[in-house]
Amino acid sequence: MAAAAPKIQRILLKLSGEALAGGKPYGFDRPAMQAVAEELRPVLAAGVQVGLVVGGGNLFRGLPAAADGADRATADYIGMLATVMNALALHEALETAGLPARVMSALAVTGVAEPFIRAKALAHLAKGRVVLFAGGTGNPYFTTDTAACVRALDIGAQLLLKSTKVDGVYDADPVLHPTASRYEQLDYDEVLQRHLGVMDATAVVLAREHGLPVRVFDMHSRGALARIVRGEAVGTLMSPSASDRSGR
Ligand code: UDP
């Protein structure tokens, strides 16, 4: 009997730069990138279209550099270029694993990546290629969480998947507080009011304004991504509240 069709046809996956560093404090870890490829493999095989935004925190972040006295906008451009380096590294790891992929950048770096053109991105996705969206939003003063929301909306993703170090959103840091409990579901305003730090506030507000559901999960949990696209409730879902859904 043929496998059941996935419930979700197009996703936007957000990985932090740290996800490419494995446990290292800086740089790349090849096994970590190969593990990303193995998590994507069954999802692509099921026919799900995958857009991916990768952060830059394993290489450079603008905010701490600005706190050290650097010009904020310049520091942010360096951070955006870090995301381009990450996208190139991950692209190579995916292709080596036999998964077709393309890098599209919001910043012009035409020697190494295509410019972001929405119609072309959609064409790549339709051909089963993972599209790695590099360069964040292309603007300083934003983060790649916001870029992930923008790209998810841009490509019409049904779900934004944000991978974190723990398996969802907790009411306290589960590393420091072993009794912390995980939320199954939250609405956007709860995330903002409780300062849950799932994503930066700009990203949460953007998701709220457009009713974009966001699932927070741990990519290191093997098979979690595949279970999510089959419709399983893995991690924590951030979505419109029941009252919003009823059109109040
Ligand atoms: N950045 C930016 N504009 C964007 C996205 C990212 O200026 O639209 C810069 C910002 O300096 C940020 C850095 O790129 O600190 C790396 O991105 P981020 O901190 O989101 O990476 P992550 O924490 O996900 O690894």
Side-chain angles (χ1 to χ4, degrees):
M1 203 174 73
K7 286 233 163 140
I8 294 164
Q9 275 92 38
R10 190 179 292 159
I11 59 170
L12 191 295
L13 174 64
K14 160 74 208 295
L15 297 180
S16 69
E18 285 170 6
L20 306 195
K24 296 176 191 167
Y26 181 85
F28 303 116
D29 179 67
R30 207 156 173 81
M33 293 193 282
Q34 285 161 343
V36 171
E38 292 317 314
E39 292 304 305
L40 288 175
R41 192 186 298 284
V43 171
L44 294 164
V48 178
Q49 298 181 7
V50 180
L52 198 153
V53 166
V54 64
N58 57 322
L59 301 176
F60 195 89
R61 281 199 180 97
L63 198 55
D68 279 349
D71 170 66
R72 172 68 193 267
T74 303
D76 279 342
Y77 281 109
I78 297 170
M80 285 183 260
L81 290 171
T83 74
V84 175
M85 289 197 267
N86 279 339
L88 293 178
L90 189 56
H91 173 260
E92 192 270 335
L94 296 183
E95 292 266 348
T96 300
L99 303 179
R102 293 289 185 274
V103 180
M104 301 192 113
S105 177
L107 283 181
V109 281
T110 47
V112 291
E114 296 178 36
F116 172 72
I117 297 171
R118 180 172 175 267
K120 282 197 173 173
L122 293 173
H124 286 318
L125 290 168
K127 287 177 185 158
R129 297 168 180 156
V130 179
V131 182
L132 302 161
F133 297 112
T137 62
N139 300 294
Y141 302 100
F142 289 100
T143 67
T144 50
D145 281 349
T146 301
C149 278
V150 172
R151 290 293 174 247
L153 295 167
D154 235 348
I155 65 168
Q158 289 154 284
L159 185 61
L160 168 56
L161 288 164
K162 165 143 176 164
S163 170
T164 58
K165 280 184 255 179
V166 289
D167 62 343
V169 184
Y170 284 75
D171 57 2
D173 184 341
V175 179
L176 302 176
H177 306 276
T179 55
S181 58
R182 181 168 57 80
Y183 296 102
E184 295 273 312
Q185 197 160 350
L186 285 162
D187 70 42
Y188 310 101
D189 288 326
E190 286 173 303
V191 172
L192 294 170
Q193 283 155 14
R194 295 182 197 172
H195 302 284
L196 292 172
V198 190
M199 301 172 92
D200 65 78
T202 310
V204 176
V205 170
L206 190 60
R208 182 186 70 187
E209 294 314 297
H210 299 278
L212 174 69
V214 181
R215 191 169 277 286
V216 181
F217 77 113
D218 178 10
M219 184 94 173
H220 298 104
S221 167
R222 282 187 65 187
L225 189 63
R227 290 200 297 281
I228 291 170
V229 300
R230 284 200 300 266
E232 287 184 36
V234 175
T236 300
L237 181 66
M238 181 168 59
S239 65
S241 65
S243 53
D244 292 344
R245 282 193 293 270
S246 66
R248 189 189 60 163

